Amino acid sequence: MAEKMTLLFVSGTLDKLMAGSIIASGGVANGMDIDIFVSFWALMNFKKGQAMKGKFSYEGAEMEKQVMDIMKKKKVAPWIETLRSAKEIGNVKIYGCAMFADLMEIKKEELDPIVDDIIGVAEFVSMAKDSNMTLFI
């Protein structure tokens, strides 16, 4: 049985989504199963066509253009493509938060197909208590 990592994505800034996607890829590279629970502003970025429309960062706003130019020059994949690749390679499941989806009236079919399901926090906590590590991004 593979070790398991659970990730909680809450922030919708691109830097944190990129960090979470890279961590998920690292977990898959280490043979781990990954469960990702996506809530609040992060869930807004999982809506179809919204992946790269968020703010880059609240901490490095003055360097946003420079960082984005360097990432483009070095052909760094967008965070959602990194996450898609992790799903293709390993056992990665992505769940939208039912409470925030209800609040914002977001339906599963409005989310990128990368999202496997919409679940409640109790189900996520059940996943997290059985995992080897849980990270809040």
Side-chain angles (χ1 to χ4, degrees):
M1 184 173 184
E3 290 188 275
K4 186 173 162 185
M5 176 167 47
T6 50
L7 300 173
L8 176 58
F9 290 6
V10 175
S11 174
T13 59
L14 301 181
D15 60 338
K16 292 185 179 175
L17 292 166
M18 178 64 91
S21 299
I22 291 170
I23 290 169
S25 293
V28 166
N30 280 284
M32 299 179 86
D33 293 340
I34 314 293
D35 288 323
I36 302 172
F37 187 69
V38 183
S39 190
F40 287 91
W41 311 124
L43 188 61
M44 299 302 279
N45 286 58
F46 280 80
K47 290 177 77 175
K48 290 178 182 170
Q50 298 299 309
M52 294 304 291
K53 293 190 176 176
K55 188 169 189 60
F56 184 77
S57 172
Y58 289 108
E59 298 165 8
E62 69 280 356
M63 294 183 65
E64 180 174 337
K65 183 177 180 342
Q66 179 185 3
V67 172
M68 294 299 277
D69 288 346
I70 291 170
M71 289 175 67
K72 186 175 182 179
K73 181 178 175 185
K74 294 190 175 190
K75 299 182 177 160
V76 176
W79 67 268
I80 199 153
E81 295 308 322
T82 301
L83 211 46
R84 256 188 250 289
S85 295
K87 281 189 74 129
E88 290 172 8
I89 295 167
N91 185 17
V92 178
K93 302 288 186 205
I94 301 171
Y95 303 100
C97 169
M99 184 276 305
F100 194 73
D102 282 348
L103 182 70
M104 300 305 290
E105 300 181 358
I106 299 171
K107 307 288 183 227
K108 165 83 171 69
E109 54 272 10
E110 296 176 67
L111 298 171
D112 189 284
I114 198 170
V115 177
D116 294 287
D117 201 358
I118 294 176
I119 65 171
V121 71
E123 192 170 346
F124 170 71
V125 170
S126 177
M127 293 172 181
K129 77 177 174 85
D130 294 331
S131 73
N132 300 90
M133 74 172 74
T134 300
L135 301 174
F136 182 91
I137 311 288

